[in-house]
Amino acid sequence: MDVSWTLWALTILGLSALIAVDFFIGRKPHDVTTKEAGIWTIIWIALAVLFGFGLLAFGESQASGEFFAGFITEKSLSVDNLFVFVLIMAKFSVPSHLQQRVLLVGVLIALVLRAVFIAAGAAVIANFSWVFYIFGAFLIYTAWKLIQEARAGEEEEEFEENRLLKTIERRFGVADRYHGTKLFIRNNGKRVLTPLMVVMLAIGTTDVLFALDSIPAIFGLTQDPYIVFTANAFALMGLRQLYFLIGGLLKKLVHLSYGLSVILGFIGVKLVLHALHESGVNVPEISIPVSLGVICGVLVITTITSLVAGRKQERAEAAARTDEITDKAVDKEADVDA
């Protein structure tokens, strides 16, 4: 897709305007209700759909298909980020009424950092086509690692601050408590960070780790930097509302890791096939419609099996509680008879 500098500028201005509206509406710290989160989640998804169909209306059918495939992939991978966001919120004991502000700024930092990653990735791909082999192998390895972790039942119990975050804390110092929405305060004449600023940086910089697999994944679906950037932007900008909407449902998505591993593995294979094709090897390439179908199918199946497994677990726990109550009643009756 041939994208002019004017279109890039208009797109960035448009996204900035949407972020500004989102910030203005949520500028007052408050507890986000499920209804509010649901409405805004629908709005962000609707905007992404309109953008995708807008590309189609302007005759960019391939770009439209690539955008939808990239958006759905990035959205599904970003759900995995929410697990870590929950840990970060717990680690820093973020008050509930400040969490929406933390996520808004944190996601904005993540978007800027991802833009840098995307620019670097596009430059590397443009000059070194063999990098597709590395991206493909990395995604396949990541998929295998996700499956191993899911089978082992490994869970991250506590968030560990990265080296950059620790360096910033040592350099500037951190206040001992939250001060509303303030990011800096004066403490004994010295300007120090508030915990709110630290947790925003934690959200933004931690997302970089997720970008290590999500950026190669979307480059496996499209090599167009414009599509890669916009798909990431729309996926990330609705992440804050998604956090409040499905925060309580995350633990029920027990098969999410399996689904994501299948998607990453599939895209990894697609990248390797594309690299072989670019090298002159006569191998089939996976089309965007096929990729879109596989990604959507895997997500639907994963969600259904997760919900079924969750209901079975709930029934088993309910039966166990009933048996426990019955046993206690029998024991009590036996004590009375004695």
Side-chain angles (χ1 to χ4, degrees):
M1 180 177 174
D2 186 19
V3 181
S4 65
W5 286 108
T6 302
L7 182 56
W8 267 108
L10 290 174
T11 301
I12 293 174
L13 285 174
L15 292 174
S16 298
L18 290 173
I19 294 172
V21 170
D22 192 10
F23 185 85
F24 178 80
I25 292 175
R27 69 189 184 282
K28 184 178 179 180
H30 65 284
D31 292 325
V32 179
T33 64
T34 302
K35 180 181 179 181
E36 179 185 348
I39 290 173
W40 276 101
T41 297
I42 293 172
I43 289 174
W44 281 117
I45 293 176
L47 288 172
V49 172
L50 285 174
F51 181 83
F53 280 118
L55 292 173
L56 184 63
F58 282 98
E60 298 290 345
S61 57
Q62 182 176 346
S64 177
E66 290 175 351
F67 171 79
F68 281 120
F71 171 73
I72 294 172
T73 299
E74 292 298 316
K75 199 70 173 178
S76 60
L77 290 172
S78 68
V79 171
D80 207 30
N81 297 25
L82 299 184
F83 287 100
V84 179
F85 290 174
V86 170
L87 294 174
I88 292 174
M89 295 294 188
K91 168 76 174 181
F92 292 97
S93 301
V94 182
S96 59
H97 67 283
L98 292 177
Q99 290 185 6
Q100 55 90 23
R101 178 65 63 87
V102 167
L103 289 170
L104 178 61
V105 179
V107 168
L108 183 59
I109 294 172
L111 182 58
V112 172
L113 293 177
R114 285 201 180 203
V116 175
F117 266 60
I118 291 168
V124 171
I125 288 172
N127 292 282
F128 308 101
S129 61
W130 48 263
V131 79
F132 285 115
Y133 288 111
I134 298 176
F135 282 0
F138 177 73
L139 290 179
I140 293 171
Y141 168 75
T142 303
W144 174 82
K145 186 178 178 182
L146 273 177
I147 291 178
Q148 294 297 108
E149 291 177 354
R151 292 180 63 184
E154 293 182 9
E155 294 185 359
E156 191 173 0
E157 296 294 336
E158 185 179 356
F159 169 74
E160 292 293 335
E161 298 177 27
N162 56 56
R163 187 173 299 177
L164 174 62
L165 201 59
K166 290 179 179 179
T167 302
I168 292 174
E169 290 178 6
R170 286 196 302 268
R171 172 66 179 80
F172 295 97
V174 182
D176 59 353
R177 62 182 177 86
Y178 287 89
H179 292 263
T181 58
K182 292 182 179 179
L183 304 182
F184 299 90
I185 64 166
R186 288 283 178 181
N187 186 13
N188 295 326
K190 180 183 178 183
R191 197 183 191 198
V192 298
L193 304 174
T194 65
L196 187 68
M197 183 62 173
V198 175
V199 73
M200 286 177 178
L201 293 173
I203 293 286
T205 56
T206 300
D207 180 79
V208 173
L209 300 177
F210 292 95
L212 293 177
D213 55 33
S214 65
I215 298 300
I218 194 170
F219 270 117
L221 298 170
T222 176
Q223 285 81 60
D224 189 331
Y226 182 76
I227 301 300
V228 174
F229 174 73
T230 51
N232 267 274
F234 279 106
L236 280 178
M237 287 193 299
L239 193 59
R240 177 170 65 95
Q241 289 79 9
L242 198 61
Y243 171 87
F244 295 105
L245 182 64
I246 69 171
L249 300 176
L250 288 176
K251 292 183 179 179
K252 294 185 178 181
L253 299 176
V254 293
H255 296 159
L256 178 64
S257 293
Y258 291 105
L260 294 180
S261 65
V262 171
I263 291 173
L264 290 177
F266 170 77
I267 298 176
V269 171
K270 184 179 185 300
L271 273 171
V272 172
L273 290 175
H274 177 74
L276 290 171
H277 183 79
E278 290 293 311
S279 299
V281 181
N282 186 20
V283 294
E285 286 203 88
I286 301 173
S287 66
I288 288 298
V290 171
S291 299
L292 191 56
V294 170
I295 292 167
C296 292
V298 169
L299 291 176
V300 169
I301 293 172
T302 298
T303 301
I304 293 174
T305 57
S306 293
L307 294 177
V308 170
R311 288 175 182 174
K312 287 182 178 179
Q313 184 177 356
E314 288 176 359
R315 285 197 294 266
E317 291 175 352
R321 286 195 297 268
T322 301
D323 292 341
E324 184 179 355
I325 293 172
T326 302
D327 291 340
K328 287 182 178 179
V330 171
D331 293 340
K332 185 176 181 180
E333 185 177 347
D335 292 338
V336 171
D337 292 340

